[in-house]
Amino acid sequence: MKQRGFIEIVILIVILVAAAIGGAYYLGRTTSQPQPSPSPTAMQDESANWEMYTSTQLPNNLLKSYSIQYPTLWDLDVKRDDISDTLTLIKEGYMIKIYQSAYGGGGCIFEGEIPEGPVEDLRDKKYVQIESGVGTLRRFTMDPSRTSNPDTTTVFDFCGDIGNEFINPTLVGDINYTVPKDHNEAVLREMDNILETLKEAK
């Protein structure tokens, strides 16, 4: 009888060990395991189906001709004569303008000491930096006193880099946005995305 009891205990231990091993195996099978990351797929360029406008060089003007892409929901207006060229993109009260003409400009100072010469002191301005095909552009809010409708609109002006300094106008002219006072940040980002496509025309 004692031997039989011992055998039953051994059998019980074997069953318990087998159950534990089987449970661990099953748990290992059902627990989510780290999976290799899927290979990256080519993301569709959001500007692939956008419209494109290409300007032509103004006579006797150092400002560069340019191309720019924009979504089809934006309306394009171009006014041009022998001495000026104005591109305006408009959507529901939001406006991007690039103006070219024969006029002077100066430097834009965002930090450091004010140098001699015609410069605009922008050291107290917060800016958004945009990388475009015509270099780095810095967008900042224009002083309301310089705008025509400060109660209802906000105007953003731009300076563009020429290597080690920023200037206004940019290499392709004076760039600015006019937006509603209570503007939508998503639309403002879309406008910045449009400016990212800006590049010098070949």
Side-chain angles (χ1 to χ4, degrees), residues 3-198:
Q3 183 177 4
R4 181 178 178 184
F6 176 76
I7 292 173
E8 289 175 349
I9 291 171
V10 171
I11 292 173
L12 182 60
I13 291 172
V14 169
I15 291 173
L16 289 174
V17 170
I21 294 173
Y25 174 77
Y26 178 77
L27 185 61
R29 294 274 294 184
T30 57
T31 302
S32 60
Q33 300 294 321
Q35 299 296 321
S37 301
S39 56
T41 56
M43 295 183 64
Q44 182 178 3
D45 182 0
E46 68 172 357
S47 64
N49 297 317
W50 288 6
E51 302 287 339
M52 178 182 283
Y53 169 78
T54 302
S55 73
T56 55
Q57 186 80 32
L58 282 170
N60 305 313
N61 196 305
L62 295 178
L63 295 172
K64 307 292 185 181
S65 58
Y66 62 89
S67 67
I68 190 168
Q69 294 176 262
Y70 58 95
T72 55
L73 292 177
W74 287 77
D75 293 323
L76 171 70
D77 180 70
V78 178
K79 291 182 172 60
R80 181 182 174 90
D81 53 37
D82 291 339
I83 60 172
S84 68
D85 184 293
T86 305
L87 170 140
T88 308
L89 291 168
I90 306 168
K91 185 180 81 167
E92 299 174 356
Y94 293 79
M95 182 168 62
I96 301 171
K97 183 176 286 185
I98 302 175
Y99 174 71
Q100 293 187 335
S101 186
Y103 59 94
C108 302
I109 302 301
F110 291 92
E111 59 270 319
E113 298 295 324
I114 298 292
E116 293 183 5
V119 295
E120 185 174 6
D121 186 0
L122 301 170
R123 292 176 297 178
D124 63 337
K125 294 288 188 183
K126 293 182 179 179
Y127 59 84
V128 173
Q129 191 153 291
I130 301 167
E131 300 302 329
S132 77
V134 293
T136 301
L137 303 172
R138 288 183 176 176
R139 167 170 63 81
F140 57 93
T141 306
M142 185 182 289
D143 291 330
S145 61
R146 297 173 55 194
T147 65
S148 57
N149 297 300
D151 294 333
T152 58
T153 62
T154 297
V155 177
F156 294 96
D157 205 2
F158 284 83
C159 293
D161 81 302
I162 53 170
N164 59 353
E165 61 181 320
F166 284 83
I167 60 170
N168 186 352
T170 71
L171 292 175
V172 295
D174 182 60
I175 303 173
N176 63 63
Y177 297 164
T178 300
V179 302
K181 198 75 173 178
D182 57 345
H183 57 271
N184 186 322
E185 287 295 323
V187 181
L188 193 57
R189 286 194 298 273
E190 182 180 36
M191 297 167 80
D192 291 343
N193 291 340
I194 291 172
L195 274 200
E196 288 178 359
T197 72
L198 189 61

